[in-house]
Amino acid sequence: MNCVDNSGNRLTTARLLWVADYGLGSCFPIVPIVSELRTRGDEIVMLAGPEGEGGEETFRKLGFEFRPNRTVPASFRLEPESYLDLTHKRAADVLDLLRAESFDAVV
């Protein structure tokens, strides 16, 4: 995990899971924050989706690993009544990834 000593020196780095919203367009506001974390040496793995939406390459070029959200269909249009159901399914994706890989924190 990110730790700093009394002199402000970094002691370790962290591997962070960045759980983004359903559409990649909502990810861009947090890019400066996770970019700064990456610059400081943290490894950022982004869970977003759906795969094939076109943003994966952009985020990989920015230095982030990318994992597609399996429960979000390509070119989805989320109706309000289905949002809660999809959220529960998406939580299963997050838990599966947390079981499969080691992370220090979830953002």
Side-chain angles (χ1 to χ4, degrees), residues 2 10 16 32-42 44:
N2 263 341
R10 243 174 119 76
L16 306 172
I33 295 168
V34 292
S35 292
E36 177 63 24
L37 292 170
R38 189 185 50 75
T39 299
R40 294 179 182 200
D42 294 322
I44 309 295

Side-chain angles (χ1 to χ4, degrees), residues 72-83:
V72 181
S75 65
F76 74 102
R77 297 292 174 256
L78 198 56
E79 300 297 327
E81 59 273 3
S82 63
Y83 187 83

Side-chain angles (χ1 to χ4, degrees), residues 2-59:
N2 263 341
C3 297
V4 179
D5 67 14
N6 291 337
S7 301
N9 299 313
R10 243 174 119 76
L11 301 175
T12 61
T13 60
R15 187 162 194 259
L16 306 172
L17 175 60
W18 169 17
V19 180
D21 201 359
Y22 296 106
L24 291 174
S26 63
C27 301
F28 290 103
I30 197 172
V31 166
I33 295 168
V34 292
S35 292
E36 177 63 24
L37 292 170
R38 189 185 50 75
T39 299
R40 294 179 182 200
D42 294 322
E43 180 184 352
I44 309 295
V45 177
M46 176 186 191
L47 175 66
E51 188 170 25
E53 192 174 73
E56 309 97 273
E57 186 176 329
T58 299
F59 287 101

